[in-house]
Amino acid sequence: MIVCVAIFGRQNNPLYIQSFTEADDGLKLHHIVHCSLDVVDERVNNPKKSGPMLNETFLGLLYPTEIYKVYGYLTNTKVKFILVTLDLDVRDADVRNFQIPFTCQVKRSHPELLQKE
């Protein structure tokens, strides 16, 4: 289950953050997505140490916590998509399939988020 989606711009400025939980853990999810930006930057700046190739937009599992798994995408314009899931048994292939419909929906509803800064 997806509990949080975040979009960050080229300079790691938050463009969109939405949590989908009823509990009061919104602040915790904001902290998790901001911490994941460090992992994204590390993978982009050290391509030899990271698993996925830089020509792929799917960065894979950024890091797991006790409760959540955090996945990331990086567009060719350096816009970052962060996805936090509650399901610890989710597979990378399932999360990778989330990218296409979500990106298309964002392009239709908020095209200004994906423009170059």
Side-chain angles (χ1 to χ4, degrees), residues 35-51:
C35 289
S36 67
L37 292 175
D38 293 335
V39 179
V40 171
D41 288 340
E42 181 180 329
R43 289 192 183 182
V44 169
N45 295 330
N46 299 320
K48 294 179 182 178
K49 294 182 181 179
S50 65

Side-chain angles (χ1 to χ4, degrees), residues 43-61:
R43 289 192 183 182
V44 169
N45 295 330
N46 299 320
K48 294 179 182 178
K49 294 182 181 179
S50 65
M53 300 298 291
L54 284 181
N55 59 0
E56 290 186 33
T57 59
F58 180 63
L59 297 174
L61 179 66

